[in-house]
mmCIF file of all heavy atoms in Angstrom:
data_model
loop_
_atom_site.group_PDB
_atom_site.id
_atom_site.type_symbol
_atom_site.label_atom_id
_atom_site.label_comp_id
_atom_site.label_asym_id
_atom_site.label_seq_id
_atom_site.Cartn_x
_atom_site.Cartn_y
_atom_site.Cartn_z
ATOM 1 N N ASP A 74 4.443 -7.434 13.408
ATOM 2 C CA ASP A 74 3.696 -7.884 14.591
ATOM 3 C C ASP A 74 2.227 -7.496 14.495
ATOM 4 O O ASP A 74 1.353 -8.217 14.974
ATOM 5 C CB ASP A 74 4.309 -7.310 15.862
ATOM 6 C CG ASP A 74 5.691 -7.867 16.136
ATOM 7 O OD1 ASP A 74 5.964 -9.023 15.724
ATOM 8 O OD2 ASP A 74 6.510 -7.164 16.752
ATOM 9 N N LYS A 75 1.966 -6.347 13.914
ATOM 10 C CA LYS A 75 0.594 -5.840 13.812
ATOM 11 C C LYS A 75 -0.033 -6.088 12.446
ATOM 12 O O LYS A 75 -1.199 -5.773 12.231
ATOM 13 C CB LYS A 75 0.570 -4.343 14.116
ATOM 14 C CG LYS A 75 1.014 -3.995 15.525
ATOM 15 C CD LYS A 75 0.965 -2.491 15.756
ATOM 16 C CE LYS A 75 1.408 -2.150 17.175
ATOM 17 N NZ LYS A 75 1.394 -0.683 17.413
ATOM 18 N N ASN A 76 0.737 -6.646 11.514
ATOM 19 C CA ASN A 76 0.257 -6.887 10.137
ATOM 20 C C ASN A 76 -0.248 -5.603 9.492
ATOM 21 O O ASN A 76 -1.364 -5.540 8.948
ATOM 22 C CB ASN A 76 -0.848 -7.950 10.118
ATOM 23 C CG ASN A 76 -0.323 -9.331 10.414
ATOM 24 O OD1 ASN A 76 0.877 -9.597 10.323
ATOM 25 N ND2 ASN A 76 -1.216 -10.237 10.778
ATOM 26 N N THR A 77 0.552 -4.578 9.594
ATOM 27 C CA THR A 77 0.174 -3.298 9.012
ATOM 28 C C THR A 77 1.239 -2.819 8.020
ATOM 29 O O THR A 77 2.410 -3.185 8.122
ATOM 30 C CB THR A 77 -0.017 -2.214 10.074
ATOM 31 O OG1 THR A 77 1.209 -2.048 10.798
ATOM 32 C CG2 THR A 77 -1.128 -2.578 11.039
ATOM 33 N N VAL A 78 0.800 -2.016 7.073
ATOM 34 C CA VAL A 78 1.713 -1.352 6.162
ATOM 35 C C VAL A 78 1.249 0.087 6.018
ATOM 36 O O VAL A 78 0.055 0.350 5.842
ATOM 37 C CB VAL A 78 1.779 -2.063 4.788
ATOM 38 C CG1 VAL A 78 0.422 -2.127 4.111
ATOM 39 C CG2 VAL A 78 2.812 -1.404 3.885
ATOM 40 N N ASP A 79 2.171 1.011 6.159
ATOM 41 C CA ASP A 79 1.868 2.438 6.109
ATOM 42 C C ASP A 79 2.585 3.090 4.936
ATOM 43 O O ASP A 79 3.625 2.614 4.477
ATOM 44 C CB ASP A 79 2.312 3.128 7.399
ATOM 45 C CG ASP A 79 1.486 2.702 8.596
ATOM 46 O OD1 ASP A 79 0.446 2.048 8.399
ATOM 47 O OD2 ASP A 79 1.890 3.009 9.731
ATOM 48 N N LEU A 80 2.032 4.212 4.498
ATOM 49 C CA LEU A 80 2.654 5.003 3.446
ATOM 50 C C LEU A 80 2.634 6.461 3.877
ATOM 51 O O LEU A 80 1.560 7.078 3.933
ATOM 52 C CB LEU A 80 1.917 4.831 2.120
ATOM 53 C CG LEU A 80 2.568 5.507 0.908
ATOM 54 C CD1 LEU A 80 3.893 4.814 0.559
ATOM 55 C CD2 LEU A 80 1.620 5.482 -0.294
ATOM 56 N N GLN A 81 3.797 6.986 4.198
ATOM 57 C CA GLN A 81 3.922 8.399 4.538
ATOM 58 C C GLN A 81 4.173 9.167 3.250
ATOM 59 O O GLN A 81 5.147 8.894 2.534
ATOM 60 C CB GLN A 81 5.075 8.625 5.518
ATOM 61 C CG GLN A 81 5.317 10.084 5.865
ATOM 62 C CD GLN A 81 4.165 10.708 6.616
ATOM 63 O OE1 GLN A 81 3.586 10.096 7.512
ATOM 64 N NE2 GLN A 81 3.803 11.933 6.249
ATOM 65 N N MET A 82 3.287 10.103 2.952
ATOM 66 C CA MET A 82 3.384 10.857 1.707
ATOM 67 C C MET A 82 3.628 12.328 2.026
ATOM 68 O O MET A 82 2.787 12.979 2.652
ATOM 69 C CB MET A 82 2.084 10.698 0.904
ATOM 70 C CG MET A 82 1.699 9.254 0.642
ATOM 71 S SD MET A 82 0.254 9.070 -0.409
ATOM 72 C CE MET A 82 -1.008 9.757 0.648
ATOM 73 N N ASN A 83 4.772 12.825 1.608
ATOM 74 C CA ASN A 83 5.139 14.215 1.817
ATOM 75 C C ASN A 83 5.253 14.940 0.478
ATOM 76 O O ASN A 83 5.343 14.306 -0.573
ATOM 77 C CB ASN A 83 6.471 14.301 2.566
ATOM 78 C CG ASN A 83 6.416 13.672 3.941
ATOM 79 O OD1 ASN A 83 5.375 13.677 4.603
ATOM 80 N ND2 ASN A 83 7.537 13.117 4.377
ATOM 81 N N SER A 84 5.254 16.255 0.552
ATOM 82 C CA SER A 84 5.398 17.080 -0.659
ATOM 83 C C SER A 84 4.434 16.630 -1.754
ATOM 84 O O SER A 84 4.815 16.447 -2.919
ATOM 85 C CB SER A 84 6.844 17.018 -1.173
ATOM 86 O OG SER A 84 7.747 17.450 -0.181
ATOM 87 N N LEU A 85 3.189 16.453 -1.373
ATOM 88 C CA LEU A 85 2.208 15.935 -2.315
ATOM 89 C C LEU A 85 1.951 16.903 -3.457
ATOM 90 O O LEU A 85 2.003 18.128 -3.281
ATOM 91 C CB LEU A 85 0.901 15.627 -1.586
ATOM 92 C CG LEU A 85 0.939 14.317 -0.777
ATOM 93 C CD1 LEU A 85 -0.154 14.294 0.275
ATOM 94 C CD2 LEU A 85 0.806 13.131 -1.716
ATOM 95 N N LYS A 86 1.685 16.331 -4.617
ATOM 96 C CA LYS A 86 1.444 17.097 -5.831
ATOM 97 C C LYS A 86 0.052 16.751 -6.370
ATOM 98 O O LYS A 86 -0.459 15.661 -6.097
ATOM 99 C CB LYS A 86 2.485 16.746 -6.897
ATOM 100 C CG LYS A 86 3.921 16.926 -6.458
ATOM 101 C CD LYS A 86 4.877 16.435 -7.528
ATOM 102 C CE LYS A 86 6.323 16.579 -7.102
ATOM 103 N NZ LYS A 86 7.267 16.087 -8.136
#
Side-chain angles (χ1 to χ4, degrees):
D74 293 331
K75 297 180 180 179
N76 289 342
T77 59
V78 59
D79 292 349
L80 186 68
Q81 177 65 42
M82 305 185 294
N83 298 329
S84 302
L85 283 161
K86 304 175 181 179

